[in-house]
């Protein structure tokens, strides 16, 4: 389907957006401080998000809205909080869009952005992104974001229009995959821990001192923490290790690394005797002796309470909860330290590095209701609000309140966020980790890890459980991937059809090229499965 074009009258009206929430006529131009001069036509609009469940982010958005309305007294913004539990947020939007009563701007995750762009319920924003804003110092709006236009390339390939259809406001590239440990300064001092650990060996030594002093070192839980600690110790092992079992022509292709790991486990190239599997398993087993008694029956909220009530010295958590601890911890000193690096002092197989995260803008942000095109004055106001909230000045306030990093270039990282951010030590592209754990069924592996780490089964039984689960899961995966009706062959046919349709509709060349690259990668993936996995089927 071809992208619909706007009428000349609508484009003319919106061309005044460069003057902010104003232009000649009803809405006067903003002054140097962004505030409108003289009388301006009253405008109101609604925005909806799920941030009521995250008080620091909610406070940041409330502050941005109040500040904007103070600068623009003619504008009234109504913020709607809608919980994002049990898919209720998306279900509500589905109904609202069909009945044309959705809010004017909506916070959306990546899947929602793709869905509502393809359904043409939210607006393509490319033309506005290519214009300067009243807050950008003459730069195009898109140039104010980290990485500029290049950072949105992936986003443009994720919908059939090849469009930018969201405004990123909170969060940006550079966040470290391995979340840090929050720690109780008072408890560490009491146990004689004077230096904050940076390596795994130092971390274990600190845990030993805490335990000897009668202090529980780590607040753990039976699911989130358990999987995090498996992943974030594992991802410091085996950079590009799976590639050793395949032809070099498949090297350097990011999309093939997951299939290579799966096939390596399925064909027995990686098994329970693998050095990395053994090393990471031993490391976690040793570490588990420093978790609280009864951790296997604790959820993440119980672990957080242990930390809050000074019953444990360390807690693994994310920046989204920083504000909660800041607001609720009054009776002890605390801080945050980056996840410890596993060095060769702990294991000769360690890479002594961390994974490198995404460098592009995450597909997450705010979509603008396409019905706004029917009301040019309101659309100008909504656009101006988002241009303001993504200005460097507004973002400096936002990141401090929310305790996050910014998608806008040049915005300082708050001091509290630095332990959460990548450094020059983040340089791994495809670490293999504990491949047996990663390829096993999630429910099976979590239960097996709980049993192993609490002494109910031994190491051999634990690894056998992982291996058996991975074998069963991967047998089905391989058969499904090779199946002509539901596997890679059918996906190849669908992508080829998409390419033909895109060419016929005059779609953007970038979108066609990306789809062609996807087709090439799919053919390579199918070749991998047919060459290496199919012969191992029984």
């Amino acid at each position: 389907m071809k992208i619909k074009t706007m009428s000349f009258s609508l484009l003319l009206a919106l061309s005044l957006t460069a003057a902010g929430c104003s232009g000649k006529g009803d809405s006067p131009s903003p002054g140097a401080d962004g505030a409108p001069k003289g009388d301006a036509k009253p405008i109101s609009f609604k925005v909806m998000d799920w941030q009521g469940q995250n008080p620091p982010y909610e406070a940041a958005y409330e502050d941005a809205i109040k500040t904007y309305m103070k600068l623009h007294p003619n504008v009234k913004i109504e913020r709607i909080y809608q919980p994002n539990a049990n898919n209720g947020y998306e279900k509500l939007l589905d109904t609202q869009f069909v009945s044309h009563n959705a809010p004017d701007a909506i916070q959306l995750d990546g899947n929602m952005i793709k869905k509502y762009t393809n359904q043409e319920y939210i607006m393509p924003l490319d033309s506005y992104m290519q214009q300067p804003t009243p807050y950008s110092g003459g730069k195009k709006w898109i140039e104010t974001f980290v990485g500029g236009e290049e950072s949105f390339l992936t986003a443009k390939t994720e919908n059939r229009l090849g469009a930018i259809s969201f405004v990123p406001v909170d969060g940006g590239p550079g966040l470290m995959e391995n979340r840090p440990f929050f720690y109780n300064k008072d408890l560490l001092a009491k146990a004689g821990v004077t230096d904050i650990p940076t390596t795994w060996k130092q971390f274990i030594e600190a845990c030993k001192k805490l335990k000897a002093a009668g202090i529980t070192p780590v607040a753990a839980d039976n699911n989130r923490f358990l999987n995090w600690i498996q992943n974030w110790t594992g991802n410091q092992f085996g950079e590009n290790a799976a590639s050793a079992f395949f032809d070099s022509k498949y090297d350097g292709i990011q999309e093939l690394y997951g299939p290579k790991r799966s096939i390596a486990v399925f064909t027995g190239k990686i098994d329970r005797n693998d050095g990395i599997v053994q090393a990471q398993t031993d490391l976690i087993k040793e570490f588990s002796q420093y978790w609280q008694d009864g951790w296997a029956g604790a959820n993440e909220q119980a672990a957080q309470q242990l930390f809050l009530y000074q019953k444990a010295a360390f807690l693994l958590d994310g920046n989204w909860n920083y504000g909660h601890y800041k607001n609720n911890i009054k009776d002890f000193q605390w801080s945050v330290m980056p996840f410890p690096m596993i060095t060769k002092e702990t294991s000769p197989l360690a890479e002594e590095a961390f994974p490198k995260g995404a460098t592009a803008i995450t597909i997450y942000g705010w979509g603008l209701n396409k019905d706004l095109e029917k009301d040019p004055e309101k659309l100008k106001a909504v656009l101006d609000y988002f241009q303001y909230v993504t200005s460097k000045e507004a973002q400096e306030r936002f990141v401090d309140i929310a305790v996050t990093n910014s998608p806008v270039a040049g915005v300082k990282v708050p001091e509290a966020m630095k332990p959460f951010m990548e450094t020059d030590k983040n340089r791994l592209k495809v670490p293999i980790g504990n491949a047996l754990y990663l390829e096993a069924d999630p429910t099976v592996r979590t239960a097996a890890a709980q049993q192993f780490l609490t002494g109910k089964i031994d190491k051999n039984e634990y690894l056998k459980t992982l291996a058996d689960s991975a074998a069963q899961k991967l047998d089905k995966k391989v058969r499904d991937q090779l199946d002509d009706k539901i596997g890679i062959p059918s996906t190849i046919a669908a992508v080829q059809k998409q390419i033909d349709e895109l060419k016929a509709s005059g779609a953007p060349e970038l979108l066609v090229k990306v789809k062609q690259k996807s087709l090439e990668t799919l053919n390579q993936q199918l070749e991998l499965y047919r060459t290496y996995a199919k012969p191992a089927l029984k």
Side-chain angles (χ1 to χ4, degrees), residues 107-154:
Q107 188 175 38
L108 303 169
D109 66 21
N111 290 330
M112 295 179 202
I113 289 169
K114 178 179 179 179
K115 172 182 172 180
Y116 296 132
T117 304
N118 288 341
Q119 294 176 342
E120 297 191 55
Y121 285 138
I122 59 175
M123 293 173 52
L125 301 173
D126 302 73
S127 60
Y128 310 112
M129 285 285 185
Q130 293 298 330
Q131 299 176 24
T133 81
Y135 316 97
S136 64
K139 290 183 178 180
K140 295 177 182 178
W141 193 7
I142 199 166
E143 293 173 349
T144 65
F145 293 98
V146 175
E149 191 154 7
E150 186 175 344
S151 200
F152 286 89
L153 290 179
T154 300

Side-chain angles (χ1 to χ4, degrees), residues 270-330:
I270 297 174
D271 59 19
R272 71 182 90 169
N273 297 312
D274 177 76
I276 291 173
V277 170
Q278 290 281 327
Q280 194 267 348
T281 300
D282 291 341
L283 182 147
I284 292 294
K285 180 65 173 178
E286 179 193 20
F287 182 40
S288 67
Q289 67 183 292
Y290 302 112
W291 308 350
Q292 82 271 20
D293 292 339
W295 66 266
N299 59 22
E300 64 186 76
Q301 289 77 26
Q304 291 166 343
Q305 290 299 310
L306 281 177
F307 183 72
L308 283 168
Y309 291 117
Q310 301 198 68
K311 301 296 184 181
F314 290 106
L315 173 72
L316 196 60
D317 212 335
N319 64 295
W320 54 87
N321 278 328
Y322 186 96
H324 174 70
Y325 301 124
K326 182 179 179 181
N327 293 334
N328 288 281
I329 296 176
K330 307 297 182 185

Side-chain angles (χ1 to χ4, degrees), residues 21 103 109 188 234 239 254 269 284 328 421 459 518 526:
C21 175
D109 66 21
L188 264 63
E239 171 69 353
Q254 185 85 20
K269 299 296 184 182
I284 292 294
N328 288 281
M421 303 302 294
K459 180 180 174 182
S518 296
L526 181 60

Side-chain angles (χ1 to χ4, degrees), residues 129 142-158 164 166 168 171-174 358-364 406-409 510:
M129 285 285 185
I142 199 166
E143 293 173 349
T144 65
F145 293 98
V146 175
E149 191 154 7
E150 186 175 344
S151 200
F152 286 89
L153 290 179
T154 300
K156 294 176 74 169
T157 65
E158 287 296 310
I164 300 170
F166 67 100
T359 57
I361 294 288
T362 301
I363 305 174
Y364 153 73
S406 175
V408 174
L510 170 66

